[in-house]
Short mmCIF file of all heavy atoms in Angstrom, two decimals:
data_model
loop_
_atom_site.label_atom_id
_atom_site.label_comp_id
_atom_site.label_asym_id
_atom_site.label_seq_id
_atom_site.Cartn_x
_atom_site.Cartn_y
_atom_site.Cartn_z
N ARG W 174 5.82 -40.84 12.23
CA ARG W 174 6.88 -39.90 12.57
C ARG W 174 7.50 -40.12 13.94
O ARG W 174 7.90 -39.16 14.62
CB ARG W 174 6.38 -38.47 12.42
CG ARG W 174 6.03 -38.19 10.95
CD ARG W 174 6.01 -36.78 10.64
NE ARG W 174 7.36 -36.26 10.89
CZ ARG W 174 7.85 -35.18 10.33
NH1 ARG W 174 7.13 -34.53 9.48
NH2 ARG W 174 9.03 -34.75 10.61
N CYS W 175 7.59 -41.38 14.36
CA CYS W 175 8.38 -41.71 15.56
C CYS W 175 9.83 -41.74 15.09
O CYS W 175 10.38 -42.81 14.78
CB CYS W 175 7.93 -43.03 16.16
SG CYS W 175 6.32 -42.96 16.94
N GLU W 176 10.43 -40.58 15.00
CA GLU W 176 11.70 -40.41 14.31
C GLU W 176 12.88 -41.13 14.95
O GLU W 176 13.88 -41.38 14.29
CB GLU W 176 11.99 -38.91 14.16
CG GLU W 176 10.97 -38.23 13.27
CD GLU W 176 11.10 -36.73 13.23
OE1 GLU W 176 11.95 -36.17 13.96
OE2 GLU W 176 10.32 -36.11 12.49
N ARG W 177 12.81 -41.49 16.22
CA ARG W 177 13.94 -42.17 16.87
C ARG W 177 13.77 -43.68 16.97
O ARG W 177 14.68 -44.37 17.40
CB ARG W 177 14.17 -41.57 18.26
CG ARG W 177 14.63 -40.14 18.14
CD ARG W 177 15.10 -39.60 19.44
NE ARG W 177 15.60 -38.24 19.21
CZ ARG W 177 15.82 -37.38 20.15
NH1 ARG W 177 15.61 -37.72 21.40
NH2 ARG W 177 16.27 -36.18 19.87
N LEU W 178 12.63 -44.19 16.53
CA LEU W 178 12.37 -45.63 16.55
C LEU W 178 13.33 -46.33 15.58
O LEU W 178 13.40 -45.98 14.41
CB LEU W 178 10.92 -45.90 16.13
CG LEU W 178 10.45 -47.35 16.17
CD1 LEU W 178 10.43 -47.89 17.59
CD2 LEU W 178 9.05 -47.44 15.56
N LYS W 179 14.11 -47.31 16.09
CA LYS W 179 15.12 -47.97 15.27
C LYS W 179 14.72 -49.37 14.81
O LYS W 179 15.13 -49.81 13.75
CB LYS W 179 16.45 -48.04 16.02
CG LYS W 179 17.09 -46.69 16.19
CD LYS W 179 18.44 -46.80 16.84
CE LYS W 179 19.07 -45.42 16.95
NZ LYS W 179 20.36 -45.44 17.61
N SER W 180 13.96 -50.09 15.62
CA SER W 180 13.55 -51.44 15.21
C SER W 180 12.22 -51.79 15.88
O SER W 180 11.87 -51.24 16.91
CB SER W 180 14.62 -52.47 15.58
OG SER W 180 14.73 -52.59 16.97
N ILE W 181 11.54 -52.72 15.25
CA ILE W 181 10.28 -53.18 15.82
C ILE W 181 10.05 -54.61 15.37
O ILE W 181 10.39 -54.99 14.26
CB ILE W 181 9.10 -52.27 15.41
CG1 ILE W 181 7.85 -52.61 16.21
CG2 ILE W 181 8.84 -52.31 13.92
CD1 ILE W 181 6.81 -51.53 16.22
N GLU W 182 9.53 -55.41 16.29
CA GLU W 182 9.16 -56.78 15.96
C GLU W 182 7.66 -56.91 16.14
O GLU W 182 7.12 -56.63 17.20
CB GLU W 182 9.89 -57.78 16.87
CG GLU W 182 9.69 -59.20 16.42
CD GLU W 182 10.54 -60.16 17.22
OE1 GLU W 182 11.68 -59.81 17.55
OE2 GLU W 182 10.04 -61.26 17.49
N ILE W 183 7.01 -57.28 15.06
CA ILE W 183 5.55 -57.39 15.08
C ILE W 183 5.19 -58.84 15.38
O ILE W 183 5.69 -59.76 14.71
CB ILE W 183 4.97 -56.95 13.72
CG1 ILE W 183 5.38 -55.50 13.43
CG2 ILE W 183 3.45 -57.09 13.69
CD1 ILE W 183 5.07 -55.03 12.03
N PRO W 184 4.34 -59.10 16.37
CA PRO W 184 4.01 -60.49 16.73
C PRO W 184 3.15 -61.18 15.66
O PRO W 184 2.49 -60.52 14.85
CB PRO W 184 3.23 -60.34 18.04
CG PRO W 184 2.66 -58.97 17.99
CD PRO W 184 3.63 -58.13 17.23
N ASN W 185 3.15 -62.50 15.70
CA ASN W 185 2.40 -63.31 14.74
C ASN W 185 0.89 -63.15 14.85
O ASN W 185 0.15 -63.56 13.97
CB ASN W 185 2.74 -64.79 14.90
CG ASN W 185 4.09 -65.11 14.32
OD1 ASN W 185 4.52 -64.48 13.35
ND2 ASN W 185 4.78 -66.07 14.90
N SER W 186 0.43 -62.53 15.91
CA SER W 186 -1.00 -62.31 16.07
C SER W 186 -1.53 -61.19 15.16
O SER W 186 -2.72 -61.10 14.90
CB SER W 186 -1.30 -61.97 17.53
OG SER W 186 -0.52 -60.87 17.95
N VAL W 187 -0.63 -60.33 14.65
CA VAL W 187 -1.04 -59.18 13.83
C VAL W 187 -1.34 -59.63 12.41
O VAL W 187 -0.52 -60.30 11.77
CB VAL W 187 0.05 -58.08 13.82
CG1 VAL W 187 -0.27 -57.00 12.79
CG2 VAL W 187 0.20 -57.48 15.20
N ASN W 188 -2.53 -59.27 11.92
CA ASN W 188 -2.88 -59.62 10.55
C ASN W 188 -3.17 -58.38 9.69
O ASN W 188 -3.45 -58.50 8.51
CB ASN W 188 -4.08 -60.57 10.49
CG ASN W 188 -5.29 -60.04 11.23
OD1 ASN W 188 -5.53 -58.84 11.24
ND2 ASN W 188 -6.04 -60.92 11.85
N PHE W 189 -3.08 -57.20 10.28
CA PHE W 189 -3.36 -55.96 9.55
C PHE W 189 -2.41 -54.86 10.00
O PHE W 189 -2.22 -54.64 11.19
CB PHE W 189 -4.81 -55.53 9.81
CG PHE W 189 -5.16 -54.21 9.20
CD1 PHE W 189 -5.50 -54.12 7.86
CD2 PHE W 189 -5.16 -53.05 9.96
CE1 PHE W 189 -5.82 -52.88 7.29
CE2 PHE W 189 -5.49 -51.81 9.40
CZ PHE W 189 -5.81 -51.74 8.06
N ILE W 190 -1.81 -54.17 9.02
CA ILE W 190 -0.98 -52.99 9.30
C ILE W 190 -1.58 -51.86 8.49
O ILE W 190 -1.61 -51.90 7.25
CB ILE W 190 0.50 -53.22 8.92
CG1 ILE W 190 1.08 -54.41 9.70
CG2 ILE W 190 1.31 -51.97 9.20
CD1 ILE W 190 2.47 -54.81 9.26
N GLY W 191 -2.08 -50.83 9.15
CA GLY W 191 -2.81 -49.75 8.51
C GLY W 191 -1.94 -48.72 7.82
O GLY W 191 -0.71 -48.70 7.96
N LYS W 192 -2.59 -47.85 7.08
CA LYS W 192 -1.92 -46.79 6.32
C LYS W 192 -1.08 -45.91 7.24
O LYS W 192 -1.48 -45.60 8.36
CB LYS W 192 -2.96 -45.94 5.60
CG LYS W 192 -3.72 -46.70 4.55
CD LYS W 192 -4.81 -45.85 3.93
CE LYS W 192 -5.58 -46.70 2.94
NZ LYS W 192 -6.68 -45.97 2.32
N TYR W 193 0.09 -45.54 6.74
CA TYR W 193 1.02 -44.63 7.44
C TYR W 193 1.48 -45.15 8.80
O TYR W 193 2.01 -44.39 9.60
CB TYR W 193 0.39 -43.24 7.64
CG TYR W 193 0.08 -42.48 6.38
CD1 TYR W 193 -1.19 -42.51 5.82
CD2 TYR W 193 1.06 -41.73 5.75
CE1 TYR W 193 -1.49 -41.80 4.68
CE2 TYR W 193 0.78 -41.01 4.60
CZ TYR W 193 -0.51 -41.05 4.06
OH TYR W 193 -0.80 -40.35 2.93
N ALA W 194 1.31 -46.43 9.07
CA ALA W 194 1.62 -46.97 10.40
C ALA W 194 3.03 -46.63 10.87
O ALA W 194 3.24 -46.30 12.04
CB ALA W 194 1.39 -48.47 10.43
N PHE W 195 4.02 -46.72 9.98
CA PHE W 195 5.40 -46.43 10.34
C PHE W 195 5.99 -45.31 9.48
O PHE W 195 7.20 -45.09 9.48
CB PHE W 195 6.27 -47.68 10.20
CG PHE W 195 5.82 -48.81 11.08
CD1 PHE W 195 5.03 -49.84 10.57
CD2 PHE W 195 6.17 -48.86 12.41
CE1 PHE W 195 4.59 -50.88 11.37
CE2 PHE W 195 5.74 -49.89 13.23
CZ PHE W 195 4.95 -50.90 12.71
N ALA W 196 5.16 -44.61 8.74
CA ALA W 196 5.64 -43.55 7.85
C ALA W 196 6.37 -42.48 8.64
O ALA W 196 5.97 -42.10 9.73
CB ALA W 196 4.46 -42.93 7.10
N GLY W 197 7.49 -42.04 8.07
CA GLY W 197 8.26 -40.98 8.71
C GLY W 197 9.12 -41.44 9.87
O GLY W 197 9.71 -40.62 10.56
N CYS W 198 9.20 -42.75 10.10
CA CYS W 198 10.11 -43.28 11.14
C CYS W 198 11.50 -43.34 10.51
O CYS W 198 11.97 -44.40 10.11
CB CYS W 198 9.64 -44.66 11.61
SG CYS W 198 8.07 -44.64 12.48
N GLU W 199 12.12 -42.18 10.41
CA GLU W 199 13.32 -42.08 9.59
C GLU W 199 14.54 -42.85 10.11
O GLU W 199 15.47 -43.08 9.36
CB GLU W 199 13.68 -40.62 9.33
CG GLU W 199 13.46 -39.66 10.47
CD GLU W 199 13.71 -38.22 10.08
OE1 GLU W 199 12.88 -37.64 9.37
OE2 GLU W 199 14.73 -37.69 10.53
N ASN W 200 14.55 -43.29 11.35
CA ASN W 200 15.67 -44.08 11.86
C ASN W 200 15.38 -45.57 11.96
O ASN W 200 16.22 -46.33 12.44
CB ASN W 200 16.13 -43.53 13.22
CG ASN W 200 16.94 -42.27 13.05
OD1 ASN W 200 17.94 -42.26 12.35
ND2 ASN W 200 16.49 -41.18 13.65
N LEU W 201 14.21 -45.98 11.52
CA LEU W 201 13.85 -47.40 11.54
C LEU W 201 14.76 -48.15 10.57
O LEU W 201 14.79 -47.86 9.38
CB LEU W 201 12.39 -47.58 11.13
CG LEU W 201 11.79 -48.97 11.27
CD1 LEU W 201 11.75 -49.40 12.74
CD2 LEU W 201 10.38 -48.99 10.69
N LYS W 202 15.55 -49.11 11.08
CA LYS W 202 16.51 -49.84 10.25
C LYS W 202 16.03 -51.22 9.87
O LYS W 202 16.36 -51.72 8.81
CB LYS W 202 17.86 -49.93 10.96
CG LYS W 202 18.57 -48.63 11.02
CD LYS W 202 19.99 -48.79 11.50
CE LYS W 202 20.70 -47.46 11.42
NZ LYS W 202 22.10 -47.53 11.70
N SER W 203 15.29 -51.86 10.75
CA SER W 203 14.83 -53.22 10.43
C SER W 203 13.45 -53.45 11.02
O SER W 203 13.08 -52.85 12.02
CB SER W 203 15.82 -54.25 10.97
OG SER W 203 15.84 -54.23 12.37
N ILE W 204 12.72 -54.32 10.36
CA ILE W 204 11.39 -54.66 10.81
C ILE W 204 11.07 -56.08 10.38
O ILE W 204 11.53 -56.54 9.33
CB ILE W 204 10.35 -53.65 10.26
CG1 ILE W 204 9.00 -53.84 10.95
CG2 ILE W 204 10.23 -53.72 8.76
CD1 ILE W 204 8.08 -52.67 10.83
N THR W 205 10.35 -56.78 11.22
CA THR W 205 9.91 -58.14 10.90
C THR W 205 8.41 -58.14 10.71
O THR W 205 7.67 -57.74 11.61
CB THR W 205 10.27 -59.11 12.05
OG1 THR W 205 11.67 -59.04 12.27
CG2 THR W 205 9.88 -60.52 11.69
N ILE W 206 7.97 -58.55 9.54
CA ILE W 206 6.53 -58.67 9.27
C ILE W 206 6.17 -60.13 9.44
O ILE W 206 6.76 -61.00 8.80
CB ILE W 206 6.20 -58.19 7.84
CG1 ILE W 206 6.58 -56.71 7.67
CG2 ILE W 206 4.72 -58.40 7.53
CD1 ILE W 206 6.41 -56.18 6.28
N PRO W 207 5.20 -60.44 10.30
CA PRO W 207 4.85 -61.85 10.55
C PRO W 207 4.05 -62.47 9.39
O PRO W 207 3.48 -61.77 8.55
CB PRO W 207 4.00 -61.78 11.81
CG PRO W 207 3.41 -60.42 11.79
CD PRO W 207 4.40 -59.53 11.13
N ASN W 208 4.02 -63.80 9.38
CA ASN W 208 3.31 -64.56 8.36
C ASN W 208 1.80 -64.40 8.41
O ASN W 208 1.09 -64.90 7.54
CB ASN W 208 3.64 -66.05 8.47
CG ASN W 208 4.97 -66.35 7.83
OD1 ASN W 208 5.33 -65.77 6.82
ND2 ASN W 208 5.71 -67.27 8.43
N SER W 209 1.30 -63.69 9.38
CA SER W 209 -0.14 -63.49 9.51
C SER W 209 -0.65 -62.31 8.68
O SER W 209 -1.85 -62.19 8.43
CB SER W 209 -0.49 -63.28 10.98
OG SER W 209 0.36 -62.29 11.54
N VAL W 210 0.25 -61.43 8.23
CA VAL W 210 -0.14 -60.23 7.48
C VAL W 210 -0.36 -60.57 6.01
O VAL W 210 0.47 -61.22 5.39
CB VAL W 210 0.93 -59.11 7.62
CG1 VAL W 210 0.61 -57.92 6.73
CG2 VAL W 210 1.06 -58.68 9.06
N THR W 211 -1.51 -60.13 5.46
CA THR W 211 -1.81 -60.42 4.05
C THR W 211 -1.69 -59.19 3.15
O THR W 211 -1.40 -59.32 1.98
CB THR W 211 -3.24 -61.00 3.90
OG1 THR W 211 -4.17 -60.07 4.45
CG2 THR W 211 -3.36 -62.33 4.61
N THR W 212 -1.92 -58.00 3.71
CA THR W 212 -1.85 -56.77 2.92
C THR W 212 -1.00 -55.75 3.64
O THR W 212 -1.15 -55.54 4.84
CB THR W 212 -3.26 -56.18 2.70
OG1 THR W 212 -4.06 -57.13 2.03
CG2 THR W 212 -3.20 -54.90 1.87
N ILE W 213 -0.09 -55.11 2.90
CA ILE W 213 0.67 -53.99 3.45
C ILE W 213 0.02 -52.75 2.86
O ILE W 213 0.11 -52.49 1.66
CB ILE W 213 2.17 -54.09 3.10
CG1 ILE W 213 2.76 -55.41 3.62
CG2 ILE W 213 2.92 -52.91 3.71
CD1 ILE W 213 4.19 -55.65 3.20
N GLU W 214 -0.67 -52.00 3.69
CA GLU W 214 -1.49 -50.86 3.26
C GLU W 214 -0.64 -49.70 2.71
O GLU W 214 0.58 -49.67 2.84
CB GLU W 214 -2.32 -50.36 4.45
CG GLU W 214 -3.43 -51.30 4.85
CD GLU W 214 -4.63 -51.23 3.93
OE1 GLU W 214 -5.01 -50.13 3.49
OE2 GLU W 214 -5.21 -52.30 3.67
N ASP W 215 -1.31 -48.69 2.15
CA ASP W 215 -0.68 -47.51 1.57
C ASP W 215 0.24 -46.81 2.57
O ASP W 215 -0.11 -46.64 3.74
CB ASP W 215 -1.73 -46.49 1.13
CG ASP W 215 -2.66 -47.01 0.05
OD1 ASP W 215 -2.35 -48.04 -0.56
OD2 ASP W 215 -3.70 -46.36 -0.18
N TYR W 216 1.39 -46.39 2.09
CA TYR W 216 2.33 -45.51 2.82
C TYR W 216 2.85 -46.07 4.15
O TYR W 216 3.36 -45.32 4.97
CB TYR W 216 1.68 -44.14 3.10
CG TYR W 216 1.21 -43.42 1.85
CD1 TYR W 216 -0.12 -43.50 1.45
CD2 TYR W 216 2.09 -42.68 1.09
CE1 TYR W 216 -0.56 -42.84 0.31
CE2 TYR W 216 1.66 -42.01 -0.05
CZ TYR W 216 0.33 -42.10 -0.43
OH TYR W 216 -0.09 -41.45 -1.55
#
């Protein structure tokens, strides 16, 4: 629920994104998921 967050770039070092990590970020327009992530968790 970071409602004003518009964009985020996740570095290649990240291999896990947990549940609800960006849920409710209603102004998020774009996001880059790096090649290191294998599972996109619930919600």
Side-chain angles (χ1 to χ4, degrees):
R174 296 201 61 157
C175 289
E176 295 172 357
R177 294 191 177 165
L178 183 66
K179 291 184 178 178
S180 67
I181 191 161
E182 188 173 323
I183 301 170
N185 285 328
S186 55
V187 171
N188 55 34
F189 175 81
I190 301 173
K192 295 176 184 178
Y193 296 96
F195 300 98
C198 294
E199 38 186 73
N200 283 304
L201 188 65
K202 288 191 175 187
S203 66
I204 191 161
T205 303
I206 299 175
N208 280 324
S209 50
V210 174
T211 58
T212 301
I213 302 174
E214 289 283 321
D215 297 346
Y216 302 97

